[in-house]
Amino acid sequence: MNINENLISEDNLVAIKREKKKTEIFKNISYNQKSEYEKEGWTVDKELKTTLKMKRDKSFSLLFKNKVWLTFCNLGFHKMNKDENFHMPYTPDHSMTRHFDIFAADDETALFIICESTEQHNKISAFNDRIVSIGEIREQLIRELRKAFPEKKIKPKFILATKNYNLSSLDRALLNKYKIYHFDEEALQYYDDLLQHLGLAARYQFLGNLFDGEKIQGLDNITTAIEGHMGGHTYYSFSIEPEKLLKLSYVLHRSSVNKDSMPAYQRIIKKNRLTQVQDFVEDGGFFPNSIIINIDTKSKGLTFDRASLQVENSISRIGLLHLPQKYKSLYIIDGQHRLYGYANSRFSKTNSIPVVAFLDLEKAEQVKLFMEINENQKAVSKNLRNTLNSDLLWDSPIYSDQRKALNLKIAQQLGEDRNSKLFERIIIGENNKTTTCCITIDTIKSAIDKSNFISTFSKKNELLEQGTFDKGTNECTYQVLYPFLMAYLNYIAEKSSDEWEKGDHDNGILSINVGIYSLIRIGNDIINHLISKNINIFNFSVEELLEKMHCYIEPAISYLNELNYDERKELRTSYGGGGKIKYWRKLQREIHNAHADFLPSGLQEYLENDQKKYNQESFNMIRDIESFFKIDFENKLSNFYGDRWFFEGVPKSVYDSASKLASEKNYSNKEGHVEPWECLHLINYRDIAIHGSNWRDLFEKSYTKPGEEKISGGKNAKTQWLQKLNDIRNTIVHNYSVTVEDHDFLLTIKQWLLQDKI
């Protein structure tokens, strides 16, 4: 049996790829077979002269196998199985064979792939028999493979590709025992994304993962280098051909594929940016600045032979650097665009690129270096910074920073754990927001910060408040808090499954930022309530603790499941900090209505304010105050500046925005002319008051609140009441409740400013 008879390569792959991409199967049959095929789900595609062309949707399983096949073919494996009937012999006489769904090979590597998929999301796997059956004949399969490719020193790998399966601990142990690599749908998507951006350069990332630590045969790994010291670290400066560096290096992209690796801090390259770099290189362009890497010498090895001839009195040394001859031994900290720009270039073997290689940098140091290098280039996004800080601050000597890292790790893991109902709903690193992946790490961090699950510390590491779930260290606290939060949110998701699945589309109100924020805070409130009833939460398993919480969670769930259109709209449009508070307080109210003893701090005051009984009166007072401003400010400015008061007494930004708004109104207004002065926003009066010398010359005496004449901070501090006035106005505009405190503030301001007119 010659396995090459069942393989196709090079140009013949094109036609098979075309078929694999289709979602339907086509087959020509005779007319008298029509009814037989229709019973099996086939339909007529075309009626030909002597035959019928039938079609049928590919099964879920076949679609997955085709997708895996296409991914490996696109990764540059140029020998592939031509159909689903590939069998590999494992006895010398070829009497015994083993079926594999996919076989992929190139000049150095051969992959045996089995595929398992299910339409049931997150199904627990039970592949132990199949894994063992392959593991027991692994060596025989490798022996026959090498016989089939005698001229190659081919490296074999076995892969289990899965979709929608959550691997059991037994299956994971068996895969590890028999050295079988697991390739799930997340990995498939990661490499598909890389292929879209990098083309065949994505192949180097895959090989680095697959052959981590294994020797690269025939690689010339010696280069001339300079040894130096900087910042307490040893480094080597050298130049190397891009092709060699591509084989040795690895980029830790922020993705679920790399979540168990050392810090994954890089952005996935944008295709248009890489294309620009590739075109630049092909036109003879070059980059004089060095690529920055880290070499893990502890596991991968490295030697430096100093030359006999050195420059006297120099602190640097020249010599021959022996780079590790192993996959995934060089980690790119900065310069992936420049490196991958050479991947498909004719200069990849003939050019050399400068490199600065640090040795054995700790993960926190790598992240810091990456962030410092990029600080003055493309800004590191807040979401990526949050993701990086979960690694960077984990072992910080400052306890508050440690807890920040713990908080961020919990937020990140909720989005990466397949058992979590927030899986793929949280934006990790620089992943793009979608209709389902819309929740930010910062939202979850903020909710946990506002709760008291975790202890808080002063800058001097003094304990300020003991967290309800805090066990003293990050790791111990994570082991109890994360399972609780995941199970709690999963319970709500299951009880409100229809609503949960809507996400940020179709007017969803649960699995969106404001919803998740409020649910986490409600969970904290319920835990605090249980503790107030002398219940020790650590005496119970997560499941038992949830049982005790059920009666309090249910009223909130019922409320969310029964909202009408207007109520849903109000919650969805609860923007900003005030919106989150409103959503959270409404859930507290529903629980309080069902359990009168549930009365978290601040709820009683909120319930009184929620009646909005002060809104109309407050609105009227703001309107009166604003009318006073319009007249009084104009009088003061015109008396001081004369006819050019609107040009000289008003900041240019205010002048421009008011003029633009007046112009827009006049263009569409057929009944009268509107002056720019009539188009000011309330906050603009503060801008005018502190502009130039206006405060000193015109406003300080009459617009400093009684009792604040001697406060420090100058005009900015003395006009803070104007900012608060504007904030209250915005509260009314967004239909939030004006508090008793804010109502009384307005009354005081009105009585002070309009005392002669009331």
Side-chain angles (χ1 to χ4, degrees), residues 392-406 457-462 474:
L392 185 62
L393 302 177
W394 187 261
D395 297 315
S396 170
I398 302 172
Y399 293 165
S400 58
D401 284 347
Q402 282 188 22
R403 292 309 187 270
K404 179 180 180 180
L406 170 62
F457 297 88
S458 71
K459 293 181 179 179
K460 296 181 179 180
N461 287 347
E462 299 167 328
N474 271 6

Side-chain angles (χ1 to χ4, degrees), residues 207-214 300 326-329 331:
L207 293 176
N209 255 337
L210 196 63
F211 296 103
D212 184 6
E214 296 188 28
K300 305 292 169 59
K326 296 178 181 179
Y327 286 101
K328 204 175 179 180
S329 55
Y331 291 87

Side-chain angles (χ1 to χ4, degrees), residues 244-267:
K244 292 181 183 178
L245 189 57
L246 281 164
K247 287 185 177 181
L248 289 165
S249 63
Y250 192 78
V251 180
L252 282 162
H253 294 126
R254 262 292 168 187
S255 76
S256 56
V257 174
N258 293 320
K259 65 184 176 184
D260 295 325
S261 300
M262 53 191 296
Y265 42 81
Q266 292 276 24
R267 309 173 176 95

Side-chain angles (χ1 to χ4, degrees), residues 563-627:
L563 291 173
N564 61 37
Y565 175 82
D566 290 336
E567 291 169 328
R568 292 170 62 83
K569 183 178 179 182
E570 182 182 7
L571 288 185
R572 271 191 60 81
T573 55
S574 297
Y575 303 126
K580 290 177 179 177
I581 299 302
K582 179 174 74 171
Y583 194 129
W584 167 53
R585 290 297 190 188
K586 284 182 181 295
L587 298 185
Q588 285 184 331
R589 179 194 65 196
E590 295 304 314
I591 300 173
H592 171 72
N593 289 341
H595 303 277
D597 63 332
F598 179 83
L599 196 63
S601 175
L603 178 59
Q604 187 63 52
E605 181 183 358
Y606 171 80
L607 294 175
E608 294 174 1
N609 292 331
D610 193 46
Q611 299 174 25
K612 299 181 181 179
K613 61 182 180 181
Y614 298 111
N615 279 32
Q616 187 58 51
E617 185 181 354
S618 297
F619 175 78
N620 292 338
M621 286 193 286
I622 289 175
R623 184 187 57 193
D624 292 342
I625 293 169
E626 194 168 8
S627 296

Side-chain angles (χ1 to χ4, degrees), residues 245-301:
L245 189 57
L246 281 164
K247 287 185 177 181
L248 289 165
S249 63
Y250 192 78
V251 180
L252 282 162
H253 294 126
R254 262 292 168 187
S255 76
S256 56
V257 174
N258 293 320
K259 65 184 176 184
D260 295 325
S261 300
M262 53 191 296
Y265 42 81
Q266 292 276 24
R267 309 173 176 95
I268 289 183
I269 299 174
K270 302 298 182 185
K271 186 175 183 179
N272 61 346
R273 173 64 176 142
L274 183 63
T275 300
Q276 292 171 358
V277 175
Q278 289 172 338
D279 291 343
F280 177 72
V281 169
E282 281 299 297
D283 288 340
F286 61 92
F287 301 94
N289 46 328
S290 298
I291 290 174
I292 312 298
I293 68 173
N294 180 65
I295 303 178
D296 179 12
T297 67
K298 296 173 184 176
S299 61
K300 305 292 169 59

Side-chain angles (χ1 to χ4, degrees), residues 554-565:
E554 293 301 331
I557 292 175
S558 297
Y559 165 72
L560 292 169
N561 286 339
E562 296 168 7
L563 291 173
N564 61 37
Y565 175 82

Side-chain angles (χ1 to χ4, degrees), residues 264-481:
Y265 42 81
Q266 292 276 24
R267 309 173 176 95
I268 289 183
I269 299 174
K270 302 298 182 185
K271 186 175 183 179
N272 61 346
R273 173 64 176 142
L274 183 63
T275 300
Q276 292 171 358
V277 175
Q278 289 172 338
D279 291 343
F280 177 72
V281 169
E282 281 299 297
D283 288 340
F286 61 92
F287 301 94
N289 46 328
S290 298
I291 290 174
I292 312 298
I293 68 173
N294 180 65
I295 303 178
D296 179 12
T297 67
K298 296 173 184 176
S299 61
K300 305 292 169 59
L302 178 139
T303 57
F304 180 67
D305 298 331
R306 291 187 178 181
S308 56
L309 185 63
Q310 300 285 339
V311 177
E312 283 189 44
N313 301 321
S314 173
I315 61 173
S316 299
R317 293 290 181 264
I318 190 170
L320 295 179
L321 182 67
H322 299 254
L323 295 167
Q325 274 185 300
K326 296 178 181 179
Y327 286 101
K328 204 175 179 180
S329 55
L330 313 181
Y331 291 87
I332 306 296
I333 295 175
D334 184 66
Q336 60 168 327
H337 287 87
R338 281 166 272 153
L339 176 59
Y340 283 127
Y342 277 100
N344 302 310
S345 167
R346 56 196 169 100
F347 298 115
S348 63
K349 296 180 181 180
T350 57
N351 276 11
S352 62
I353 49 179
V355 177
V356 171
F358 289 91
L359 306 184
D360 303 316
L361 289 180
E362 295 294 333
K363 67 177 184 178
E365 292 173 310
Q366 289 186 51
V367 175
K368 281 182 179 178
L369 186 54
F370 165 78
M371 294 174 78
E372 287 168 1
I373 290 171
N374 285 274
E375 192 70 36
N376 296 317
Q377 298 178 28
K378 179 181 177 182
V380 179
S381 69
K382 183 178 183 181
N383 211 55
L384 180 56
R385 281 184 175 275
N386 278 332
T387 310
L388 297 178
N389 277 329
S390 66
D391 290 326
L392 185 62
L393 302 177
W394 187 261
D395 297 315
S396 170
I398 302 172
Y399 293 165
S400 58
D401 284 347
Q402 282 188 22
R403 292 309 187 270
K404 179 180 180 180
L406 170 62
N407 190 336
L408 293 168
K409 181 177 179 180
I410 289 172
Q412 181 178 329
Q413 189 64 12
L414 284 169
E416 294 184 331
D417 189 339
R418 297 184 63 82
N419 294 312
S420 167
K421 295 295 184 181
L422 286 176
F423 175 63
E424 294 186 336
R425 290 178 178 269
I426 298 173
I427 305 170
I428 307 295
E430 289 198 327
N431 293 347
N432 292 327
K433 177 179 178 180
T434 66
T435 53
T436 53
C437 183
C438 63
I439 300 163
T440 65
I441 286 179
D442 200 54
T443 289
I444 298 174
K445 173 186 175 297
S446 176
I448 298 176
D449 280 342
K450 294 293 185 180
S451 304
N452 63 326
F453 293 123
I454 297 174
S455 297
T456 57
F457 297 88
S458 71
K459 293 181 179 179
K460 296 181 179 180
N461 287 347
E462 299 167 328
L463 178 65
L464 300 178
E465 181 182 4
Q466 176 65 38
T468 54
F469 277 80
D470 203 299
K471 304 291 283 185
T473 67
N474 271 6
E475 191 58 43
C476 292
T477 305
Y478 176 83
Q479 294 301 328
V480 292
L481 179 55

